[in-house]
Amino acid sequence: MRDTLSGTAGPDDTPSRDAAPGTPDGVDTEALRRALRSGVAGRVAFDPGTRALYTADASNYRSVPLGVVLPRTADDVIAAVAVCAEYGVPLTPRGGGTSIAGNAIGPGVVIDASRHLTAIEEVDPDARTARVQPGVVLDRLREAAAPHGLTFGPDPSTHSRCTLGGMIGNNACGSHSVAWGTTADNVESLDVLLADGTRMRVGATSEEEFDRRAALPDREGRVYAGLRDLAAAYADPLRTGMPRLARRVSGYALDRLLPENGGNIARALTGTEGGCVTVLGATVNLVPAPPAKALAVLGYPDAPAAADAVPEILVHGPLTVEGLNERLVAGLDRPGARSGVALPDGRAWLLVELAGEDAGAAAAAGHALVAALKGGARPAGSAVVTDPAQARALWRIREEGAGLTSRTASGAEAWSGWEDAAVPPERLGSYLREFDRLMERHGRDGVVYGHFGEGCLHVRIDFELDTDPGVRNYRAFMEDAADLVVAHGGSISGEHGDGRARSELLPRMYGPELMEAFGAFKRVWDPGGLMNPGAVVAPRPLDADLRVPASGRAPLTVLSYAEDGGDFAKALRRCSGVGKCRRHEGPGVMCPSYQVTREEKHSTRGRARLLFEMLNGEVVTDGWRSEEVRDSLDLCLSCKGCLSDCPVDVDMASYKAEFLHHHYKGRLRPASHYSMGWLPVWARLASLAPAEADRAVRTPGLSALLKRAGGIARERDLPSFPRTTFTRWFRRRPPAPGHRGAVVLWPDTFGTYLEPRVPASAVRVLESAGFRVVLPKGPVCCGLTWVSTGQLGTARRVMRRSVRALEPFTRAGVPVVGLEPSCTAALRTDLKELLPGEGAERTAASVHTLAGFLSEAAPDWEPPRVAGDALAQVHCHQHAVIGYDAERALMDRAGIRTRVLDSGCCGLAGNFGFEEGHYAVSKAVGEQSLLPEVRGADPDTMVVADGFSCRTQVVQETGRTAVHLAEALASGLPKG
C-alpha cells in the first residue's frame, strides 16, 4: 500500500491484458498508448481497472474504452486528439460522467476533463460573463459568481458534480430554465478543437462575417463555408420542422445557425454530445441572482391534475415549477433525511419558486400566487416556505429523484431510457394521462416527476433488461413513447440529450430531411466520424450495449443482501451512476476518500463499477482475486456514508467486506487484519496485565515494533490501557434498583477495555433516569472489526455468540443500549446481513442509542443541566443507520448549546486511519472540516463525539479532548 492522496499502489498506464471490445480494426493498442504517453503530460491509462471505471455513465449502457486520458492542460487535449486522429481511433469527451442517455461512453479513447481542467479563468461582473475550462463543476462557478450577485442560470440536479463541458455537451437545463433557459441560451462563445487538430473560437456570427470567414483558404474557412451553405440549403425545414418549445434538446439545434437567430455557431454546437468537437473552454453568460426566494408548495390529487395547473401558474412569472410524486417522497424515508419536510394535502405537488427583493416580498409573492389560483388550478393544500432549511429539504427530494426512483415500490429495478421527454406545458396534462395509459398497456411501472413548468418529465421504469422478452418490450415501449410525445408536439429528449437511448428514435421526430441536415452538420466538423460515434447521427440501436451482467448467475456470497433478493449483482446495480458521491464538499458523509483524492476509483460509483465489471468478467478478469478492485477498495473508509447519502442506498462498506472475505480466503492477509481485525481479542488479553500492556505501547522502541508488526501507521499513537476494565468496575459496585425497569448496557470493546469512563458515565445517567442497568453474561462483541476486515466467518461466529447472550433479555423485551455508534449500527444492520433470521431481527430491534432509548423509555425524565457550548461530531455509522435527532433533542433539554457539525467523516473510521499507508488520507479527510472546526473552537467549548474513532482523531490531531454524550450528561450529575 502507498501512503498517498492521489491513489493506491499499482501502475495506471500499463497495457491492457487483452484487446478491448470495440477496438478499431488494425489499431496497434500498445503503439497508441505509447504515442499518447509521449505527447500527453497528464495521465494516460490503458489498464483494465481504469478502463472498467469508464465503461458506463449514468445510463443503461456500457461500452469498454481502449484507454482513458486525464489531461492536465488544453495542450494535453490537443495532443491526445491528434494521436487519435493519426491512429483512426474514436474519442469521447467526458465531464462528470452523469449522462443518463449514454453519451459519455465510447469504444475508443475517453478524455476526462473533470480531474484537472477545472479553472475558472475569469468572472467579469460588468459584462456578466465567465470564462471557464470544461471540467469546472457547476457549483464552483456559482460560488465564484455569487459575490457579484450573479449565478449561472441552468442548474441540473447534479449541480454538485456536473461539469460545464458536460452541460454544454448535453445542453443541460435544470430546475430554473423557466426563468433562465437552457445551457445553449447561456453560452456566449466556445473554444473548440476539431478531430483534425483545427482550433476555433465560435459564437454569434453575422452574415457578413460568415462570408468573410468562408473565404479563408484553410480548414476554418471550409467549416464556415459548410455551415453557411447548410443553413441556406435547409433554411425552410429548419424554420418549420423544429418543434417550438424551450426544452427541445433532441437532435442538433441547427436553427441557431439561421440569420434571424444570430448565426450562433456556439449555440448550435451546444447539445451535440461531443459528436462534433471537443470543447476546450467556454464563455458563458451569468444572470442576477434573486435577492430572496420563497417556495410555494401546492398539493393536487395526482400528477396530471398538477400538470393542468401549470399554464395558469406560469402567468405569475415563477423562477421554476417542479413536480413531485408521493412515491418519490416516500423514497426518502431514511434516518434523519425527512427532517424538516412538510408537505400540504395532496398526492402530487408542485414546487413553485418566486423571487422578491427581500424575504417578505418573496413570501408575499408566494401567498399572492396561491390566492390567485382558481378552478382546476386551485390546489387541495398549499404552503409557502421561507425557511431555508425546510426549502433545502424539499429540494433534496427533487434533486435525488434519479436515485430515489431506481427501485419501484415492489423492489424491482427501475431504469432510465425514457426519462426526460418534453411537451409544451399547455399539453402536459393530456400527455401525462396518455402516458399513464401507455405504461399500463405495456405492463410497466414508474414514478413521474420533473420540470413541469417546461413540460419536461423524468421517469424511471421497471424494464426487464436482463431477459430477451424484456429487451423487446423495452424497444416497443420506447418506440410507442416516441410517437406519443411527437403527437403532442414535443421532444423525445428535454434535458439529457439523445445518446444511445434515443438517437435511433430521432427520425420519428424530425423526418428524413432534417436527419439529413444533422448528418451534413456532423460531417462539416468531423468528416472522419471519430467524435463520439453512435450518438445522434448513425446511432447504435437503442437496445444494444445494455449494461447488464454477462453471466446470468450471481456469485455465492456471505452477506444476505435481503433488499436485493440475495443477488450481489443486483445490489451493485443500485449504483445508477448519478455520481452524488463525486461531490467535492458540502453536507453529508459520502464519499470521504473521493473528496480527498478526486480519483474516480475512490468514489462510491467507481468502486461499484469495478465490482460490477469484476462480476462481468470481460475487462476485470480475476474475479474475487482482482487486484484492481482491491486497490480501489483500499481507501474506502467503510464509513457507511453511502448507505444514507447515496440516493439508492449503496452500501459500499458491506460490499468491501464481502470482497475482502473472498479475496483473502485461504491466503495470508495484511497484518492489520490480524491486529486491528482481532482487536477485541487482543484488548481482552491486554486487560489481564493492563500495566504491562500500557507500558509496552508507551515505550518508543517497543511501540514502533508493535506498529510495524501489526501493519499500523507509524504516525499513530497506540491506545493506552486503563488499570481496570468497565466490566470489573461494574461488577464491584452495588446495583441500583431502578423503578423504571431493567436495561442492558452493551459492553463494547472500546468502552470496556480502552475507555471505561464512557460506559461508567452511561451507567450513572441511566440510573439517574430510574433504570436498573444489567450486562450480558460473558464476553460479547458486535463483530464489527472482523466485518470491516472481511473476516466474515469469524464475525458470524462472534455475532451468533452475542445473540445467544442477549436472548434471555430480548425475549423478555428488555431493551439494549449501545454507546459506540459503530457497534450499535452493526447490531442494527450487519447482524441481520450475517445472521438472517428471527433471533437477529429481534436483537436488532432491541438495540438503541443512549439518547434514543431515553427519549422513548423516559420521556418525562429531566436530564441534568449542563451549561455551556458544544460542538458535536456525528459518527458516520450513526448518520447512516440511526440518525442524530434524539441526541440533538437530549442535549437541548440538558441546556447544552450545541452546534452539530456537518463535517462528514472524521477520517479515522475504525481501523482505516490506523492502518499503514492510510495516515495521509485519514488526516486529509479530517482536515476537510472537523479538525479545523475543533481547533477554532473556544477552549471552553465542549467537543462531543460518541465515536471512539472520532475522539481519537480529535485528540491525536488537535490535542483537544472530546467526550461522549454520556460523559457530558454525567458531568451535570451530583458527584459520588
Side-chain angles (χ1 to χ4, degrees), residues 192-200 218-220 222-223 280:
V192 299
L193 179 69
L194 280 61
D196 63 6
T198 302
R199 187 171 181 176
M200 300 171 59
D218 56 11
R219 177 73 169 102
E220 182 174 342
R222 293 194 297 276
V223 168
L280 298 177

Side-chain angles (χ1 to χ4, degrees), residues 151-162:
T151 190
F152 187 65
D155 58 342
S157 60
T158 53
H159 53 81
S160 65
R161 61 270 191 197
C162 70

Side-chain angles (χ1 to χ4, degrees), residues 658-675:
E658 183 79 59
F659 174 82
L660 292 177
H661 172 85
H662 296 283
H663 185 75
Y664 288 110
K665 191 172 184 179
R667 296 200 293 176
L668 189 67
R669 289 172 165 271
S672 62
H673 288 201
Y674 300 106
S675 60

Side-chain angles (χ1 to χ4, degrees), residues 337-349:
R338 295 286 297 280
S339 178
V341 175
L343 291 167
D345 292 342
R347 300 179 65 186
W349 297 269

Side-chain angles (χ1 to χ4, degrees), residues 880-945:
V881 175
I882 304 165
Y884 202 70
D885 290 347
E887 283 72 15
R888 293 173 192 261
L890 182 55
M891 285 188 283
D892 185 58
R893 288 170 56 202
I896 305 174
R897 295 180 297 274
T898 308
R899 182 161 66 92
V900 179
L901 300 175
D902 198 350
S903 54
C905 183
C906 73
L908 194 61
N911 57 293
F912 176 85
F914 271 97
E915 291 179 342
E916 184 180 8
H918 291 169
Y919 176 74
V921 171
S922 171
K923 187 174 188 296
V925 170
E927 295 292 356
Q928 293 275 98
S929 179
L930 171 63
L931 299 177
E933 287 274 13
V934 171
R935 293 189 194 103
D938 187 275
D940 293 332
T941 297
M942 181 165 46
V943 180
V944 178

Side-chain angles (χ1 to χ4, degrees), residues 412-771:
E413 293 176 89
W415 301 83
S416 62
W418 191 258
E419 78 282 340
D420 69 332
V423 299
E426 62 273 13
R427 304 190 68 176
L428 182 59
S430 169
Y431 169 73
L432 264 175
R433 292 178 177 89
E434 291 195 41
F435 185 75
D436 285 344
R437 288 192 285 272
L438 175 69
M439 294 268 280
E440 184 178 357
R441 190 162 68 247
H442 282 269
R444 302 268 64 93
D445 184 29
V447 179
V448 174
Y449 65 101
H451 311 293
F452 277 41
E454 295 268 66
C456 179
L457 300 178
H458 297 313
V459 61
R460 295 180 72 92
I461 301 172
D462 61 341
F463 298 120
E464 298 164 16
L465 300 184
D466 55 348
T467 68
D468 290 339
V471 172
R472 287 194 293 271
N473 176 265
Y474 174 61
R475 167 172 284 280
F477 180 92
M478 295 286 284
E479 290 171 345
D480 288 350
D483 291 340
L484 175 63
V485 80
V486 169
H488 281 76
S491 172
I492 60 175
S493 174
E495 182 159 31
H496 299 135
D498 302 307
R500 293 165 182 260
R502 292 179 291 272
S503 293
E504 187 190 351
L505 301 172
L506 286 174
R508 295 170 181 261
M509 178 177 168
Y510 285 113
E513 193 171 15
L514 284 172
M515 292 303 300
E516 183 181 86
F518 293 165
F521 183 75
K522 179 174 171 64
R523 286 191 297 276
V524 166
W525 300 100
D526 178 35
L530 296 181
M531 298 298 301
N532 202 12
V536 185
V537 173
R540 295 275 291 156
L542 63 86
D543 51 359
D545 309 320
L546 292 170
R547 181 166 53 96
V548 293
S551 170
R553 296 189 61 185
L556 294 176
T557 53
V558 178
L559 301 177
S560 68
Y561 306 104
E563 296 295 321
D564 296 293
D567 187 338
F568 187 51
K570 184 178 178 182
L572 292 174
R573 290 199 300 273
R574 282 182 174 274
C575 179
S576 58
V578 296
K580 189 184 176 188
C581 50
R582 280 174 53 97
R583 68 186 180 88
H584 293 176
E585 57 187 39
V589 173
M590 180 183 71
C591 176
S593 51
Y594 175 79
Q595 289 185 50
V596 169
T597 69
R598 305 290 171 90
E599 293 279 353
E600 176 72 18
K601 69 178 178 181
H602 297 146
S603 68
T604 306
R605 180 179 75 175
R607 293 174 177 128
R609 190 149 293 152
L610 277 166
L611 283 163
F612 179 85
E613 290 297 329
M614 178 195 80
L615 295 188
N616 222 35
E618 181 184 359
V619 184
V620 177
T621 58
D622 295 340
W624 294 115
R625 298 297 197 203
S626 167
E627 294 181 5
E628 297 90 353
V629 177
R630 182 203 62 199
D631 291 347
S632 173
L633 289 170
D634 180 51
L635 291 189
C636 172
L637 285 78
S638 296
C639 67
K640 279 192 180 288
C642 46
L643 183 60
S644 59
D645 292 0
C646 172
V648 290
D649 300 337
V650 166
D651 185 1
M652 191 53 62
S654 293
Y655 307 164
K656 177 181 179 179
E658 183 79 59
F659 174 82
L660 292 177
H661 172 85
H662 296 283
H663 185 75
Y664 288 110
K665 191 172 184 179
R667 296 200 293 176
L668 189 67
R669 289 172 165 271
S672 62
H673 288 201
Y674 300 106
S675 60
M676 305 300 295
W678 286 74
L679 177 65
V681 173
W682 307 134
R684 196 177 310 143
L685 289 173
S687 71
L688 300 177
E692 290 77 5
D694 195 58
R695 191 176 305 114
V697 301
R698 293 286 153 258
T699 303
L702 187 53
S703 174
L705 183 62
L706 288 171
K707 285 189 276 189
R708 198 159 47 244
I712 296 170
R714 65 181 184 278
E715 298 90 346
R716 288 292 177 192
D717 294 331
L718 294 175
S720 61
F721 290 92
R723 290 174 179 247
T724 189
T725 67
F726 162 67
T727 50
R728 288 177 191 150
W729 170 87
F730 181 83
R731 288 174 178 133
R732 290 171 184 161
R733 64 191 301 276
H739 66 278
R740 295 185 191 266
V743 59
V744 177
L745 185 63
W746 180 258
D748 64 83
T749 294
F750 306 102
T752 298
Y753 300 109
L754 300 177
E755 291 186 344
R757 67 179 188 276
V758 172
S761 296
V763 170
R764 294 185 64 209
V765 171
L766 288 167
E767 289 181 345
S768 76
F771 294 96

